[in-house]
């Protein structure tokens, strides 16, 4: 049975990669145990030649197909089926004693394993490199477009039957934070961070990767996040880090190999340098949700992306992104489990899942698109708000083209250049502007631009009083710090030497880089770190 003839996976195994891994093992076993009888061999002939004509219409005909392999000529049986997909049939006359017509199957080469077609065994043409490599499922595996489409179609049916979507998870700064041992600060050493990592404690959240000379800190709430998300999603890990690093982190996050079997994707699996893509995911784009702290690497799939607030636990991470403050580890603090970034995004995922599978919607599940659901949920955040910006953009720029303006619109707000009675918020960095004074006089909300950034990360309208515009006497210092923070964050994104994931965004435009600046005030509530 060829892979194209294989039945759809059962509901108990809805993942395309799990489906294919099982089918490939079965296919290879079939090939290795294939019959090697020659045409005309009595042992391969039908015992009742008189009934041959009657059986031809009811059963698939067994024919002998010659397959060349490295060790010489090898023959095996190929079972013809009328349900063949992606194959063509031709009729030839082959002289085997009395002349007769038989059907010979022409293999469409749905994929290759170790350089050989896993259907017919033909070596791959060196000039033919079409298809996509899926080395994270099986080393040396490459699938053609038709086979990928078939697997995705089967996977989609099973996912929808189980009321599940696909979730692609970034690692560093999203689920974890890592640092090289040589980059540990003196303050972290004095606080005994390496000792905490070496403790034999089943509940610890910081670990030593001895083989890589690194420390890794799990983000608070990550274990519960994975457990609850697995009930709604088939999950993949997708990192720009090396394969060995990705596998080590997967073992920390999923020691029982329940969440990510055959679903750990690293930089060697990418089809484009410094870019991530859904082309290596055996799941339909219409049901794929991405969690990542870096938008730039998902240029082709921004509509599937939920941008995560970066997790900076170690001092080296703060230095890399230009934050001249104590790290969470140096301050002996951490995000709160109850309302940290992962707890927040889990609630967002639950809303997206509920809307997608809403039984009150008349459209068929197969025609729904999670990208439209993400857009809909995002627009709820600042719905009903009308914003006017004051001294936020340089005079030489077009306001509607600026990142913060676009962000507000994506969140459902209406942005305007002039104030009127319908305006609800004035966004400014200066209390002394005419529009800022108008907001105060007319009892409108006057907020700092970070109010919009925080809402973007938290997927919820934030209390305006938490984002006041700095008074004039404190403005100069605050502005200097804010500008330095933003500029350093931009520069930090272009620096990849200390990034375990190896993200290289040197080609990114400045405005794109600024979209990833962390709105630090949105997670100001912290608890003592629990190592």
């Amino acid at each position: 049975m060829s892979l194209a003839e294989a039945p759809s996976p059962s509901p108990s195994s809805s993942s395309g990669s799990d489906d294919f891994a099982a089918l490939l093992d079965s296919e290879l076993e079939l090939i290795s145990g294939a019959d090697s009888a020659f045409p005309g061999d009595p042992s391969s002939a039908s015992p009742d030649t008189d009934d041959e004509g009657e059986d031809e219409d009811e059963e698939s005909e067994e024919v002998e197909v010659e397959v060349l392999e490295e060790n010489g000529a090898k023959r095996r049986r190929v079972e013809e089926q009328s349900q063949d997909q992606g194959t063509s049939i031709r009729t030839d006359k082959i002289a085997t004693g009395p002349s007769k017509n038989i059907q010979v199957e022409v293999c469409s080469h749905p994929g290759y394993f170790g350089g050989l077609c896993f259907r017919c065994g033909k070596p791959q043409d060196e000039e033919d490199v079409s298809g996509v490599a899926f080395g994270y499922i099986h080393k040396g595996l490459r699938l053609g477009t038709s086979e990928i489409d078939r697997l995705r179609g089967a996977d989609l049916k099973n996912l929808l039957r189980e009321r599940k979507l696909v979730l692609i998870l970034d690692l560093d700064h999203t689920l974890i934070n890592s640092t090289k041992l040589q980059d540990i600060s003196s303050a972290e050493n004095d606080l005994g961070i390496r000792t905490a990592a070496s403790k034999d404690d089943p509940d610890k959240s910081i670990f030593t990767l001895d083989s890589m000379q690194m420390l890794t800190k799990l983000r608070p709430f990550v274990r519960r996040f994975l457990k609850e998300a697995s009930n709604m999603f088939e999950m993949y890990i997708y990192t720009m880090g090396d394969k060995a690093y990705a596998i080590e982190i997967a073992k920390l996050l999923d020691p029982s190999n329940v969440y990510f079997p055959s679903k750990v994707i690293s930089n060697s699996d990418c089809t484009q340098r410094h870019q991530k893509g859904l082309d290596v995911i055996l799941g339909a784009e219409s049901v794929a949700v991405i969690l990542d702290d870096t938008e730039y690497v998902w240029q082709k799939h921004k509509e599937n992306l939920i941008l995560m607030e970066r997790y900076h636990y170690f001092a080296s991470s703060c230095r890399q992104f230009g934050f001249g403050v104590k790290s969470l580890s140096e301050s002996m603090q951490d995000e709160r489990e109850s309302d940290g970034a992962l707890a927040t995004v889990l609630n967002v995922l639950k809303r997206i899942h509920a809307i997608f599978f809403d039984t009150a919607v008349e459209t068929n599940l197969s025609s729904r698109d999670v990208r439209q659901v993400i857009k809909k949920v995002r627009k709820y955040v600042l719905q009903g708000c009308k914003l006017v910006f004051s001294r936020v953009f340089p005079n030489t720029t077009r306001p509607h083209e600026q990142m913060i303006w676009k962000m507000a619109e994506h969140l459902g707000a209406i942005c305007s250049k002039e104030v009127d009675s319908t305006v609800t918020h004035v966004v400014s960095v200066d209390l002394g502007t005419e529009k800022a004074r108008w907001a105060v006089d007319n009892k409108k909300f006057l907020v700092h631009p970070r109010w919009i950034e925080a809402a973007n990360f938290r997927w919820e309208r934030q209390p305006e009083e938490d984002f006041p515009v700095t008074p004039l006497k404190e403005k100069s210092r605050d502005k200097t710090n804010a500008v330095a923070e933003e500029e350093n964050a931009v520069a930090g994104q272009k620096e990849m030497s200390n990034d375990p994931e190896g993200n290289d965004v040197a080609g990114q435009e400045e405005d794109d880089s600024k979209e990833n600046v962390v709105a630090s005030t949105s997670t100001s509530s912290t608890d003592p770190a629990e190592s």
Side-chain angles (χ1 to χ4, degrees):
M1 179 175 66
S2 73
L3 196 61
E5 298 164 344
S8 298
S10 66
S12 62
S13 179
S14 63
S15 166
S17 57
D18 288 344
D19 168 36
F20 184 79
L23 290 173
L24 181 61
D25 290 339
S26 175
E27 185 79 5
L28 294 176
E29 183 178 350
L30 174 65
I31 293 174
S32 63
D35 203 327
S36 60
F38 287 89
D41 189 333
S43 64
S44 63
S46 172
D48 190 355
T49 57
D50 294 338
D51 297 333
E52 181 177 340
E54 296 177 5
D55 294 341
E56 241 176 42
D57 295 335
E58 300 175 2
E59 299 179 348
S60 56
E61 180 179 6
E62 291 187 355
V63 298
E64 316 298 337
V65 177
E66 200 169 42
V67 180
L68 294 179
E69 293 194 346
E70 293 179 353
N71 61 345
K74 179 179 178 182
R75 300 178 184 272
R76 69 180 180 90
R77 296 180 187 273
V78 176
E79 190 176 69
E80 302 278 6
Q81 294 185 355
S82 60
Q83 295 88 354
D84 279 352
Q85 298 180 8
T87 62
S88 60
I89 304 295
R90 75 170 185 263
T91 302
D92 289 334
K93 288 186 177 181
I94 298 181
T96 55
S99 176
K100 67 175 184 177
N101 290 334
I102 65 172
Q103 289 183 324
V104 178
E105 181 182 21
V106 180
C107 183
S108 61
H109 310 308
Y112 294 87
F113 183 76
L116 300 176
C117 174
F118 53 65
R119 177 171 166 78
C120 71
K122 178 183 177 182
Q124 183 178 9
D125 189 339
E126 292 183 2
E127 297 180 358
D128 181 14
V129 290
S130 59
V132 178
F134 287 84
Y136 68 91
I137 298 176
H138 278 287
K139 185 177 180 180
L141 172 64
R142 179 175 288 272
L143 298 179
T145 302
S146 61
E147 187 64 13
I148 293 173
D149 291 342
R150 189 193 72 81
L151 288 169
R152 284 176 176 162
D155 182 63
L156 179 61
K157 291 179 181 178
N158 289 316
L159 282 174
L160 297 180
R161 187 184 301 121
E162 294 187 347
R163 295 177 59 84
K164 283 190 173 184
L165 302 173
V166 174
L167 183 63
I168 295 101
L169 297 166
D170 174 51
L171 285 181
D172 216 52
H173 299 113
T174 299
L175 300 182
I176 61 158
N177 191 203
S178 294
T179 186
K180 297 176 182 178
L181 295 181
Q182 66 189 36
D183 293 331
I184 295 175
S185 70
S186 57
E188 288 171 326
N189 268 324
D190 292 342
L191 290 170
I193 195 168
R194 296 182 65 171
T195 302
S198 63
K199 287 182 179 179
D200 187 15
D201 182 356
D203 296 324
K204 71 180 181 180
S205 62
I206 187 167
F207 300 85
T208 303
L209 304 181
D210 292 321
S211 61
M212 299 181 179
Q213 293 293 293
M214 297 179 71
L215 287 185
T216 291
K217 173 69 170 63
L218 304 187
R219 197 167 198 166
F221 196 74
V222 67
R223 297 202 184 279
R224 183 175 171 185
F225 170 85
L226 294 176
K227 182 178 180 179
E228 294 197 27
S230 68
N231 296 324
M232 302 179 288
F233 298 88
E234 288 288 346
M235 300 188 298
Y236 289 77
I237 283 175
Y238 199 154
T239 174
M240 282 296 197
D242 294 338
K243 175 68 71 178
Y245 174 74
I247 291 175
E248 286 299 313
I249 300 302
K251 290 177 182 177
L252 295 180
L253 295 170
D254 184 20
S256 300
N257 199 30
V258 174
Y259 305 133
F260 308 110
S262 302
K263 301 189 198 74
V264 179
I265 304 171
S266 63
N267 55 10
S268 60
D269 301 303
C270 297
T271 58
Q272 185 177 350
R273 183 175 173 81
H274 303 316
Q275 284 289 304
K276 297 179 179 180
L278 295 180
D279 52 348
V280 295
I281 302 289
L282 288 179
E285 291 184 21
S286 61
V287 295
V289 181
I290 303 164
L291 295 189
D292 203 315
D293 68 285
T294 306
E295 182 183 53
Y296 175 74
V297 297
W298 292 103
Q299 287 295 308
K300 296 181 180 179
H301 306 288
K302 291 183 179 182
E303 291 183 333
N304 299 82
L305 175 66
I306 294 178
L307 192 64
M308 290 292 294
E309 184 174 358
R310 286 198 173 100
Y311 182 47
H312 297 284
Y313 183 76
F314 293 109
S316 62
S317 181
C318 292
R319 292 196 301 269
Q320 178 190 351
F321 285 85
F323 298 120
V325 296
K326 281 187 176 182
S327 65
L328 292 173
S329 60
E330 292 172 322
S331 303
M332 298 186 67
Q333 293 182 321
D334 209 344
E335 292 180 352
R336 284 200 304 237
E337 294 232 353
S338 60
D339 61 357
L342 289 179
T344 297
V345 80
L346 179 63
N347 289 331
V348 175
L349 293 177
K350 288 179 178 178
R351 288 158 58 194
I352 291 171
H353 183 272
I355 293 174
F356 186 95
F357 288 102
D358 186 358
T359 55
V361 179
E362 295 181 358
T363 57
N364 293 329
L365 282 177
S366 59
S367 63
R368 299 181 190 180
D369 195 322
V370 75
R371 290 167 289 196
Q372 298 304 314
V373 178
I374 292 174
K375 185 182 297 184
K376 181 178 181 180
V377 174
R378 184 180 279 121
K379 280 190 172 294
Y380 287 152
V381 176
L382 295 182
Q383 192 174 48
C385 298
K386 185 173 181 179
L387 315 182
V388 168
F389 294 86
S390 178
R391 203 168 292 178
V392 174
F393 315 120
N395 293 332
T396 56
T397 63
R398 297 178 179 178
H400 64 278
E401 295 178 352
Q402 301 308 302
M403 178 271 294
I404 199 72
W405 181 294
K406 292 179 180 179
M407 184 183 291
E409 288 185 331
H410 289 161
L411 295 172
I414 297 174
C415 297
S416 176
K417 295 180 180 179
E418 302 297 334
V419 297
D420 60 41
S421 60
T422 63
V423 170
T424 60
H425 296 71
V426 172
V427 183
S428 181
V429 294
D430 188 346
L431 277 174
T433 68
E434 181 179 346
K435 292 175 182 176
R437 291 194 299 269
W438 176 89
V440 174
D441 294 340
N442 289 272
K443 295 181 170 51
K444 305 291 185 177
F445 291 113
L446 178 62
V447 294
H448 193 278
R450 289 198 186 94
W451 176 74
I452 300 173
E453 294 176 347
N456 185 56
F457 282 117
R458 309 292 287 181
W459 285 68
E460 187 176 27
R461 179 172 166 176
Q462 299 297 293
E464 284 82 358
E465 59 269 21
D466 292 346
F467 298 87
V469 179
T470 307
L472 186 61
K473 61 181 180 180
E474 299 178 15
K475 183 186 68 174
S476 179
R477 182 180 61 184
D478 180 76
K479 184 176 180 180
T480 300
N481 290 339
V483 170
E485 177 181 304
E486 185 171 283
E487 290 177 349
N488 287 328
V490 172
Q493 288 187 14
K494 297 181 181 180
E495 178 184 334
M496 58 175 292
S497 59
N498 294 322
D499 188 353
E501 289 207 18
N503 288 324
D504 182 6
V505 293
Q508 185 176 5
E509 295 293 333
E510 184 172 334
D511 284 345
D512 290 332
S513 298
K514 290 178 181 178
E515 291 185 20
N516 296 315
V517 175
V518 176
S520 56
T521 52
S522 66
T523 53
S524 57
S525 298
T526 55
D527 280 345
E530 295 177 0
S531 300

